Amino acid sequence: MSKGKKICLAIAAYMVIKSIVNLILGFSVNNLFWLVVFVLFGYFLYEGRPYFNLITAAVLALLFLLNLKTNITGHYWFYLGEGIADVVCAALLVINKDVKSCFDNKLHKGEDEDGKL
């Protein structure tokens, strides 16, 4: 398994664990929805589906931005830390060269990770 795929798997695990913890802290349909979404995103990240690194990064960054003011003004430090972790994961999905190589187009034209047909 490549380094990029391991990073994607770690981010997928983080998203699912985060959703489960949020579900335990306060059950709601919203938390259940995000659990399902993050399980699907995790699967697509692991599979290396085109653009899902960017889609997942955008969703994580958007969630951080939408909740930032509430987390700071309400002194919700746990959720602020979760948001910071979201931003770090989003940055890894967009910037890290190993992760980006997992989503390179050549991997979706019949070649394996080593570039062989």
Side-chain angles (χ1 to χ4, degrees):
M1 182 181 302
S2 71
K3 185 177 178 182
K5 195 164 275 259
K6 288 178 185 176
I7 292 170
C8 287
L9 193 57
I11 291 171
Y14 159 74
M15 291 186 308
V16 171
I17 291 168
K18 151 189 154 140
S19 295
I20 291 170
V21 169
N22 285 334
L23 199 57
I24 291 169
L25 292 175
F27 181 83
S28 72
V29 175
N30 188 38
N31 288 340
L32 195 56
F33 167 79
W34 283 111
L35 176 61
V36 172
V37 168
F38 285 143
V39 165
L40 289 173
F41 278 15
Y43 172 75
F44 293 141
L45 284 176
Y46 180 75
E47 288 292 312
R49 296 273 174 101
Y51 305 109
F52 258 90
N53 60 327
L54 302 177
I55 293 168
T56 304
V59 169
L60 289 172
L62 185 62
L63 285 174
F64 171 73
L65 291 174
L66 290 173
N67 295 308
L68 181 62
K69 184 178 178 184
T70 305
N71 291 341
I72 291 174
T73 58
H75 300 288
Y76 300 123
W77 304 117
F78 175 77
Y79 292 114
L80 186 60
E82 177 185 308
I84 292 168
D86 287 349
V87 170
V88 170
C89 289
L92 281 172
L93 288 169
V94 173
I95 297 170
N96 187 282
K97 66 179 176 66
D98 295 321
V99 172
K100 288 193 314 186
S101 72
C102 292
F103 298 92
D104 193 7
N105 285 335
K106 71 177 182 178
L107 294 178
H108 304 288
K109 293 181 181 174
E111 296 179 0
D112 63 11
E113 290 181 9
D114 298 324
K116 299 176 185 172
L117 290 175

